[in-house]
Amino acid sequence: MQQKNQATFLHYSTDYVFDGEKYGFYLEGDLRNPLGVYGKSKAAGEEAIAQAFATSTDGQYAILRTSWVFGDGGNFIRTILRLAKERSELKIIHDQYGVPTSADWLAMVSLALVLDGQLQLKLFSSGIYHAVPQGETTWYGLACLAVQSALDEGVDLKAKLEGIEPISADQYPLPAPRPMNSRMSTDKLYKAFESEGDVSKLDLLKRPWDDDVRAYVAQLVRNKLI
């Protein structure tokens, strides 16, 4: 396995390992208490990786926890925009908090963690790192921004902002329960980048989530995917 071959191992995990009951931002060391099967499987994966590397001084690993990812393929933003073209009214959950994360941004953060200035693998402290952009929002806030961004790009939508209704999570039950609070602190990752003195890496972590959403919607429009 990787720990026996001096390899670098990256694993992507999720906010679903938490139950969402904490007030404020989750830290890497906070208790895992997943609500459903998906979260339990991700928590088990985290534990298995840590155990595999615990008895070895060779190799290194990073578990990158992230949330509300969007990019290629189906995701919440694309679903909302599709529905906004079909319907004049939408009902979106407003009391679940998290941080939308661009898959492209996550890829850049991953490379920033494991590569040095010459794009060579470097040593870093193995463990869990929370990897999400700056800020926070709700599903309702994300839906409103996605719709407004599409309208700003000239997309003809039936649903306007006044047609988006905030509802509570208990009004829209899902098969897989979501944590009510998915906010995660990135202080640990920030300190890791700060120790390198690379301003570009710190700027990457400081990027607001909404900038990436606007850019993503604009890209969807250019590629005629809306």
Side-chain angles (χ1 to χ4, degrees):
M1 191 169 170
Q2 285 84 358
Q3 81 276 13
K4 296 180 180 179
N5 295 288
Q6 298 182 330
T8 294
F9 183 79
L10 288 184
H11 174 76
Y12 295 93
S13 191
T14 170
D15 55 299
Y16 276 66
V17 301
F18 298 121
D19 58 19
E21 294 184 5
K22 179 177 179 176
Y23 178 81
F25 289 73
Y26 277 98
L27 303 177
E28 285 81 355
D30 284 337
L31 178 67
R32 288 179 290 228
N33 188 31
L35 300 173
V37 174
Y38 172 70
K40 290 177 181 177
S41 68
K42 298 300 284 187
E46 291 185 2
E47 292 174 356
I49 292 166
Q51 289 174 4
F53 281 85
T55 58
S56 174
T57 57
D58 295 325
Q60 57 185 355
Y61 75 94
I63 297 169
L64 296 169
R65 284 192 190 133
T66 191
S67 67
W68 299 18
V69 177
F70 60 90
D72 292 342
N75 58 69
F76 178 82
I77 294 174
R78 293 183 68 168
T79 298
I80 290 300
L81 295 177
R82 175 178 58 80
L83 294 175
K85 293 192 76 172
E86 300 170 355
R87 309 174 187 175
S88 59
E89 296 182 354
L90 302 173
K91 296 182 178 181
I92 311 296
I93 294 172
H94 76 96
D95 54 357
Q96 289 178 337
Y97 293 84
V99 187
T101 304
S102 160
D104 289 343
W105 179 91
L106 184 59
M108 288 187 287
V109 167
S110 302
L111 292 174
L113 177 63
V114 302
L115 299 181
D116 61 20
Q118 287 70 48
L119 302 182
Q120 299 297 312
L121 279 173
K122 63 179 178 66
L123 294 176
F124 58 85
S125 297
S126 290
I128 300 172
Y129 293 86
H130 288 169
V132 291
Q134 286 293 299
E136 61 182 89
T137 189
T138 64
W139 294 110
Y140 171 77
L142 176 55
C144 287
L145 180 61
V147 167
Q148 186 59 59
S149 297
L151 292 171
D152 292 343
E153 292 290 333
V155 180
D156 183 20
L157 300 178
K158 287 185 178 181
K160 306 299 188 289
L161 291 186
E162 58 270 21
I164 305 177
E165 177 187 348
I167 62 172
S168 60
D170 57 13
Q171 293 177 273
Y172 192 77
L174 294 168
R178 290 172 174 164
M180 297 298 288
N181 174 28
S182 290
R183 294 172 292 182
M184 295 185 288
S185 170
T186 58
D187 286 351
K188 182 179 177 180
L189 194 57
Y190 189 92
K191 290 176 181 177
F193 288 171
E194 189 175 42
S195 66
E196 298 180 36
D198 190 331
V199 176
S200 63
K201 292 184 178 183
L202 295 177
D203 288 342
L204 184 60
L205 283 185
K206 293 177 183 177
R207 184 187 298 177
W209 66 268
D210 50 324
D211 284 357
D212 282 338
V213 170
R214 292 188 185 92
Y216 177 69
V217 173
Q219 182 182 34
L220 292 177
V221 175
R222 288 194 302 271
N223 294 336
K224 299 181 180 179
L225 294 175
I226 301 178

